[in-house]
Structures are given as C-alpha cells and as structure tokens.
Amino acid sequence: MDIAVKDGRIVGVRGRAEDRVNRGRLDPKDLYGWQAGHSPDRLTRPLVRRGGELVETDWDTAMDLVVERSRGLLDERGPSALGFYTSGQLFLEEHHTLAALCHGAIGTNHLDGNTRLCTATAAAALKESFGCDGQPGSYADIDHADVIALYGHNMAETQAVLWARVLDRLAGPNPPRLLCVDPRPTPVAREAALHLAPRPGTNVALMNAILHELIRTDRVDHAYVEAHTVGYGELVRLTADYPPERAAEICDLPAQGIREAAALLGGAERLLSTVLQGFYQSNQATAAAVQVNNVHLLRGMLGRPGAGVLQMNGQPTAENTRECGADGDMTGFRNWNNDRHVADLAAAWNLDPARIPHYAPPTHAMQIMRYAEKGSIRFLWVSATNPAVSLPELRRIREVLAHRDLFLVVQDVFMTETAELADVVLPAATWGEKTGTFTNSDRTVHLSEKAVEPPGQARPDLDIFLDYARRMGFRDRDGRPFPQWHDPASAFEAWKRAGAGRPCDYSGLTYDLLRDAGGIQWPCDADRPEGTERLYADGRFWASPEECESYGRDLVTGAPLEEAEYRAANPGGLAMIKAAEYVAPHEEPSGEYPFTLITGRTLYHFHTRTKTARAPELQRAAPEVWVEVSASDAREAGIAEGDPVEVRSARGAVVARARVSGIRPGVLFVPFHYGYWDTGAPDAGGAGGRAANELSATDWDPVSKQPLYKTAAARLRALGPGDGRPSPAPTTTASAPVGAEVARTRGEPDTQETYPGGGTR
C-alpha cells in the first residue's frame, strides 16, 4: 500500500494498483487500522517496575536492567535460563537478528514465535511432504484453477484481499468450483459448490476417505507418483480402511457428500488447495494437512498454473519467522540434525559452530512456558505479541508470566495484558515508522519504507535488538561486534548471506530492486533474477538426506525419525506420501460438557485487538465478544438471539451474548480477539471473563507442537432473557444470524438442503 503523510503524520493509505498480490485492494483492517498509530495511549517511553508499579524511565536505565539480569543468569545458570518469544509481525531483518542473537550470541535453544499458534503446522506439513518448508504454489494459481479447495480456511475473513480474487473468478467466465470444509457457514461456504461441515477434530478421517475414493476410482497420476514420490503403497493400504461410510460415521457427514468431494477433486484439471486454522489448530493437525498434500501428489497437481498447494500463514510475516529461524526452525531452512548445516550457518554468522545449540530441537512456545512455570527459564523477552490473551488456558499463563522468579521483558506498541505483567516494557515502532522487508505466504518479498518518525522515544525493533547486543558485548569469531550489521540495509545483506544456497535464497534481491519492481517471489538468485513463481515445477524437491530441513516425524506420535531411517525410506530425495490413521481428540464432548468449542477470527479484528480496537470503524463493527450457537441447540437451551449466556469448560468460563447462527449443531464458536486491556482484569471469582482462551486446553499437535484451540469440550448455560438487542457479532461474515432475512440479503433461497453434519449443498 501507499502511505499518505501530512505534517509528519500518517493520514491515510491506498492499495498499490500494480502490486502482484493485492492489485490495489485493501481489506478493512488495512483501510482503517493505520489510525491506531495515532492513539494517545501509545507506549512512548520505557517502563520499569518499581514497588510493584510500572513507572516511566529512560532507555539506559531500562536496558541496564535487562542486560544486568541477562549477564547474571548467563553466569549463574547458563544460556538455557533465557527464553525469547516473538511474533509473525516483525520484519525479516528483525527476525533474523533475533535468531542470530538467541541461537548464535547467547546460545539458547529457547526461541519461538507466536507463529507456533498460526503457521507451525504449515511448516511441519511442508517438511513432512517435501523435505523442506516453502509454499509450492502461488497466489496467481487462483487465476487458473478450475477447482479450489479450502480446508478449514475462512479466506473471506482471514485473507479478504485474496478472497476478492476468488470472487473475481466466480463472477467471470469459466468460474472454478469450490470445495469448503468448515463447521461454520462462512462466506466461502456460501459460494462453494460443495460444503462439508465435519465434526471438529475428525479431519484426518475425512481426508483418508477422500484419498480412499481417489484411489478406488483411479483418479491417480501413476506416472507422476512413480517418478516423483515414495510411500504410495502405504497410503493405499491404510486408506483402504476408510471407505466413505466409515468416515461418515466418524465425521457425522453423509457418505455421499464425501464421494462428491472426492469426485470434485478427482475431476479437476487444475486443482488449488488452501489450508488454515480449521486444520492447523485442530486434532491431528499435521497429519490432516499432510493428507491435503497427498491429494496433490496423487494427482500430480504441482508446479504449473492453477495446480498448487498453499499451506497458509495466519500473520503478515509468519513466513519470515520460519525462514529466519525465529520460531523453532533453523535459519535458512537448515536441519538442526545435520552438522554440515550447522557449520554452514556458523560460517555465515562467523561464529564457532559449537556456539549454536543443536543438541535438541528448539523449544516450542508451550514448552517455553512450562520451563518458565517450573523455574528453569528465569528471563523471558516477549516481542510484538500478547500471550496473556493468545495462549491456551489463560489462568495458568497469567500465573506463569506474573511469577516472582521470572524477569519479564515486553517489547510492544501498546500496554497489552502481557506488558502489564512485565518488569521492563520497551516501546516499539510499528509499520510506517521503520524500514524492512516482509514475505507473504506465496513467497512474495516486499519492502516497507519508513514514512514517519515513531512517537516519543519509541524505537524500531531492530534498533532495540542491536542495542541489546552492543550492551551485552557479543563478539564473532574475529572479535568484531556481533551481529556485524547495524541498520536495515546491512541486516538485509547479512540475511542474504545466511540464506544463500538454501531454498529461501534472496541473493538476487536488493532494496533498490524491490523499490522498482515491487513484490518478487523467492528463490531469487543469479539463475532466477526475476524470482520464482512456483516450486517443484521440475519434480525436484529439497528432500535429499543432505539437503532436507527435517528427517521427519511419525504423524501420529510425533516421534522424530533418525537420519538412517530417512535415508533408507527416501534415498533419492523424492516427495513423501505419508499416511496417518485417525485418532480421536484427547477431549471430546461428554454429559457434563456436551459441546465442542472452537475459536477463530472475525474479519474486523486481528489477534488481541491491540491495534484494531483502536480504529473506530473496526471496533464499531465488532465491539464485543459473542458466542455462536446453532438454532436447534439454542431452542433446546431456551436461548434467543442476543441473550446473555455462559460458556464453561473444565478450565474457565466466558460470559457473552448469543448469536444464533448457522453453525453446525453441537459446536460453539467464540472469537479469540477479546481480552481485558479495555475492560479491566477478569473476575477472579470465576464468574466468567471475555477471553476465549479462558476455555482452551493446554494441548498441542505432536508433530508441529501447535496448540489445539478447536477441540475443547464445553457446556452452555442461559443467564436469563436478553434486552431484545441482537448479539454484537457482525452480520456480514460467518457470524451472520440465521433467518430468511439474512438468506434474502445474500440472494439465496430461504431454505437450503442441509446435511446431517451441518453442511449445505
């Protein structure tokens, strides 16, 4: 987008018409979210805790405290006493710098990003199938596909600009047919040729049945499978046990609907699939996402226009977090278990390889919190994220972050719920106030320019990290200050060296080129100076034992595979077809808790509303939390639209007004955006809060370690009649209320053919 500036202030934005990604379009958060930068409650000076209260101070005082505690713990306990938790919203230069600081300078294994909550499964699934991270497809595939399948992906609200591109196709000549898998009647579902609404937590059973049907009807490109894959025989053997009738019983769907889905996918000439949180945050997350990859491998649908997979991201720079190594991956998509890869990274950083911890996989976010809870991590630096609202089982997380033995540093733009618990708060600049690059889901790299100065004493995140490094006195192998870079441009050049020769190769990119050309897709190097639109067009994968980013894991147990196992199974570096049996969720509905609770987004807010709630138009569009319940469940509970209700799980409760929607019966939905910074702390007496994660469980996928937000068991209780007002939920999204009025507004008939499982056709 272009940023309008007047008198040193941002006064508006517009989409850049020639951009390859958005073609000039912006979504509501883009159009209005910039106003948050002017909010009068921006953090503008560092804060330190004195006498139990946070008070303003100067940068030297704040950083001296951070450095003093860092050095003390390094001397007393070693690098493992320090942990870092970052975001999918910093720039590439900042992510790489943080990875270099943690893994290179300090030597701690405890670095992860909140991408663990949104895109860890995307990375894991790509590694399991192709040996390495990196999206095979391109956004341009939307323009060519004749079938688009969206698995747990409400694109209309999570990637609204991309959805507009789909709507262009649907309104034009030769429109594609859409398959939607989602328990809610999202805008995607309303446009779909086929909508399946499976019981939450049963995605693997559904995908196995679809694969069963593709194999039974011989919708398989056998030449492609033979030339470019391993593992087909095991998939045939395992999916033989999942005919549509068995999956229909598990998923509570009609068997005919599953057959129709397989026929739709099997008849495609150009198939594009996208996957997001409905799979990533649910039971058997990685196993389910891998089965989507398997559909494409069976059908040879990779590397050509319209034929691709997008294991989507949930944040604007989640891809950078992964490729830079700030989220549990190794910088440059290297393999932690490959000593040559470790030595290669050490050479790029000019460090001794022994300084880079590779004795075990990097610590994932939930384990970082566990170590802080048990006291082995005594220092935690949180940057650009808000775990006191976004992590599961919030009562526990608040206790961990507030523990007296934990020194908590929070680096952010506003006083978040997490910052309120900190010992030191560092005021950061936001976009438009700093320069850096960012990379989206289809590997498109953009340059974001500084337009205005940050307010007060707020600083760019890169400056804060480099200031910390200088004060700590970190040195490289030649005695020079480490990191060796000092500003965004030099940081970008350092990243190019670190990523050269790896799949995410930026060596052909420069700031000037990005200014002139706009977005360019990596890999971009001397052989591909204009970038690369699609990966694997030649049937070659980054999957050889020498090149791969991971030797893989067992999809059911998460147990890591050894190098020897990997070599024996895939010596030629082919794509891997991996099968997985269905395993029921750890927590299922019961007599006490008869509903499945799922959480998710709305179009008008992002994450914990830190910025979007400070944009008046966005806050008015979705001002308060709500609970979605089906019409049949509402009738049984005596609940009408807008009535106050309580949703309770074994971990806590949320009180909100009900939205009677078209959601699948037996399922409740609560948006996860709403915390307490604008209303005060939750009721300590257990009467109920407003944050959805009061209810979620401490549970994660065994492969990707992504928390599971879509399998909690819950109960619903009416709190009395409402005042006649409807729920504050938006009416233009998946949260639309049921009724003929809404159907007519959409131009739909008053009734739809409804599957037993809640799907429509």
Side-chain angles (χ1 to χ4, degrees):
M1 68 175 89
D2 293 322
I3 302 173
V5 177
K6 183 177 181 180
D7 299 329
R9 287 169 56 91
I10 294 176
V11 294
V13 298
R14 68 181 178 193
R16 184 166 288 178
E18 64 271 21
D19 187 80
R20 70 167 304 276
V21 172
N22 68 319
R23 299 174 171 179
R25 286 169 163 153
L26 300 177
D27 90 345
K29 293 183 287 293
D30 301 320
L31 286 169
Y32 301 112
W34 59 270
Q35 299 171 90
H38 299 325
S39 182
D41 60 346
R42 278 286 300 269
L43 290 171
T44 59
R45 293 190 63 187
L47 305 171
V48 297
R49 192 167 296 278
R50 295 280 188 254
E53 301 292 331
L54 286 169
V55 298
E56 289 187 346
T57 188
D58 57 81
W59 274 98
D60 284 338
T61 300
M63 294 304 293
D64 284 348
L65 283 173
V66 175
V67 169
E68 179 184 8
R69 183 57 62 98
S70 299
R71 286 176 175 162
L73 288 170
L74 284 172
D75 291 342
E76 296 169 13
R77 295 173 172 264
S80 292
L82 280 69
F84 294 79
Y85 183 53
T86 190
S87 167
Q89 296 169 64
L90 302 183
F91 286 145
L92 175 150
E93 293 81 355
E94 295 160 344
H95 286 310
H96 177 228
T97 300
L98 185 58
L101 284 175
C102 295
H103 295 314
I106 295 172
T108 180
N109 229 9
H110 306 324
L111 167 63
D112 202 2
N114 66 6
T115 44
R116 185 65 55 188
L117 318 182
C118 76
T119 190
T121 299
L126 293 169
K127 285 183 272 190
E128 293 297 332
S129 296
F130 308 117
C132 189
D133 199 348
Q135 298 288 355
S138 169
Y139 285 170
D141 290 330
I142 290 174
D143 304 334
H144 303 283
D146 63 336
V147 173
I148 302 175
L150 299 100
Y151 299 94
H153 183 194
N154 181 10
M155 186 189 287
E157 296 188 62
T158 57
Q159 278 92 18
V161 168
L162 201 60
W163 176 240
R165 197 158 173 169
V166 175
L167 293 177
D168 287 345
R169 285 292 319 282
L170 293 175
N174 303 313
R177 302 185 73 200
L178 268 56
L179 169 65
C180 173
V181 178
D182 200 304
R184 300 169 72 212
T186 66
V188 175
R190 296 169 200 158
E191 299 289 345
L194 180 63
H195 171 211
L196 297 180
R199 177 185 289 123
T202 63
N203 295 326
V204 166
L206 172 62
M207 295 307 303
N208 280 348
I210 288 174
L211 289 162
H212 171 104
E213 284 295 286
L214 291 175
I215 293 168
R216 184 187 67 81
T217 59
D218 200 26
R219 301 281 191 163
V220 177
D221 185 335
H222 292 284
Y224 187 93
V225 169
E226 178 67 24
H228 300 298
T229 74
V230 294
Y232 177 65
E234 175 61 15
L235 186 76
V236 172
R237 185 196 67 78
L238 188 142
T239 58
D241 294 333
Y242 290 87
E245 288 75 15
R246 182 187 178 197
E249 184 176 346
I250 295 171
C251 304
D252 190 22
L253 287 173
Q256 181 58 27
I258 298 173
R259 291 192 184 93
E260 289 179 11
L264 183 61
L265 300 175
E269 296 181 3
R270 297 171 304 281
L271 172 65
L272 171 65
S273 297
T274 74
V275 192
L276 200 60
Q277 310 302 19
F279 272 36
Y280 296 165
Q281 294 180 343
S282 191
N283 178 50
Q284 293 189 279
T286 305
V290 164
Q291 303 319 304
V292 176
N293 295 341
N294 285 344
V295 170
H296 283 259
L297 291 171
L298 259 61
R299 303 229 52 236
M301 293 284 176
L302 288 172
R304 54 189 173 86
V309 177
L310 291 171
Q311 298 280 354
M312 293 295 295
N313 297 337
Q315 296 186 73
T317 67
E319 183 65 38
N320 296 134
T321 318
R322 284 151 49 185
E323 64 200 26
C324 292
D327 71 334
D329 295 308
M330 192 177 189
T331 302
F333 292 159
R334 292 176 173 87
N335 190 336
W336 289 101
N337 289 321
N338 187 321
D339 287 343
R340 184 176 63 80
H341 286 199
V342 176
D344 183 45
L345 178 60
W349 285 346
N350 195 30
L351 297 175
D352 187 324
R355 290 183 62 175
I356 301 176
H358 53 285
Y359 48 84
T363 314
H364 63 90
M366 299 304 292
Q367 191 64 50
I368 286 175
M369 294 299 164
R370 179 61 171 163
Y371 288 153
E373 185 176 43
K374 300 300 289 183
S376 61
I377 287 181
R378 296 293 186 94
F379 174 105
L380 182 62
W381 189 326
V382 176
S383 51
T385 188
N386 190 14
V389 175
S390 60
L391 287 183
E393 198 173 346
L394 283 184
R395 181 170 58 181
R396 170 177 172 260
I397 294 299
R398 286 190 293 265
E399 291 174 354
V400 170
L401 296 175
H403 199 284
R404 64 181 182 181
D405 290 334
L406 179 69
F407 188 85
L408 179 63
V409 180
V410 173
Q411 179 174 316
D412 216 317
V413 177
F414 292 101
M415 180 57 70
T416 64
E417 291 87 341
T418 305
E420 290 173 355
L421 303 173
D423 295 282
V424 175
V425 178
L426 304 176
T430 188
W431 63 269
E433 300 169 357
K434 58 181 183 177
T435 294
T437 51
F438 60 97
T439 308
N440 72 3
S441 294
D442 80 340
R443 298 170 282 104
T444 301
V445 186
H446 284 92
L447 175 65
S448 180
E449 303 269 18
K450 180 178 178 179
V452 298
E453 293 295 328
Q457 297 179 25
R459 293 181 177 178
D461 298 273
L462 178 63
D463 291 0
I464 297 172
F465 293 145
L466 291 176
D467 182 32
Y468 173 71
R470 301 298 178 253
R471 292 172 187 265
M472 289 292 292
F474 296 135
R475 301 283 170 176
D476 69 8
R477 191 154 42 186
D478 297 325
R480 296 179 299 166
F482 182 82
Q484 300 93 345
W485 49 94
H486 61 278
D487 64 2
S490 60
F492 185 73
E493 293 302 312
W495 160 248
K496 288 163 58 177
R497 293 190 294 273
R502 295 300 298 165
C504 48
D505 193 326
Y506 285 56
S507 58
L509 294 175
T510 64
Y511 275 15
D512 286 340
L513 179 61
L514 292 171
R515 286 188 181 104
D516 292 340
I520 298 176
Q521 291 170 284
W522 64 250
C524 178
D525 54 21
D527 295 330
R528 295 158 289 193
E530 296 181 355
T532 307
E533 186 155 51
R534 295 173 185 86
L535 302 183
Y536 313 137
D538 57 359
R540 182 191 178 280
F541 306 91
W542 285 83
S544 75
E546 291 75 27
E547 293 178 326
C548 67
E549 185 181 359
S550 169
Y551 298 130
R553 292 178 178 270
D554 183 281
L555 291 184
V556 174
T557 67
L561 303 181
E562 299 295 332
E563 179 183 356
E565 296 176 88
Y566 186 92
R567 285 184 178 276
N570 192 19
L574 303 179
M576 293 161 283
I577 296 173
K578 289 195 170 185
E581 63 182 303
Y582 165 71
V583 178
H586 295 156
E587 183 170 294
E588 294 193 278
S590 64
E592 184 178 5
Y593 298 106
F595 291 93
T596 297
L597 172 72
I598 62 176
T599 69
R601 291 184 175 175
T602 184
L603 172 64
Y604 302 106
H605 284 305
F606 186 72
H607 283 197
T608 61
R609 298 165 53 252
T610 305
K611 288 188 278 192
T612 53
R614 291 173 167 91
E617 294 86 350
L618 299 176
Q619 178 61 8
R620 283 197 299 268
E624 186 52 79
V625 68
W626 68 89
V627 176
E628 288 178 36
V629 57
S630 74
S632 58
D633 290 332
R635 283 194 300 270
E636 184 174 344
I639 293 169
E641 168 67 31
D643 284 355
V645 298
E646 177 194 75
V647 180
R648 183 173 290 274
S649 75
R651 290 154 295 276
V654 166
V655 172
R657 283 195 280 159
R659 163 53 48 87
V660 182
S661 77
I663 194 171
R664 177 199 159 93
V667 179
L668 304 175
F669 171 87
V670 179
F672 61 61
H673 306 292
Y674 298 87
Y676 306 103
W677 63 264
D678 53 344
T679 62
D683 185 352
R690 73 200 293 237
N693 284 317
E694 305 287 357
L695 308 168
S696 51
T698 300
D699 193 10
W700 55 80
D701 179 66
V703 180
S704 67
K705 316 303 181 186
Q706 182 159 348
L708 306 183
Y709 293 100
K710 300 185 187 296
T711 56
R715 64 174 181 254
L716 179 69
R717 181 169 67 94
L719 297 179
D723 55 10
R725 293 183 300 154
S727 159
T731 60
T732 57
T733 64
S735 302
V738 295
E741 179 179 352
V742 175
R744 284 193 294 270
T745 300
R746 297 197 305 255
E748 299 171 355
D750 289 356
T751 59
Q752 295 175 307
E753 179 181 353
T754 302
Y755 287 149
T760 56
R761 183 158 55 93

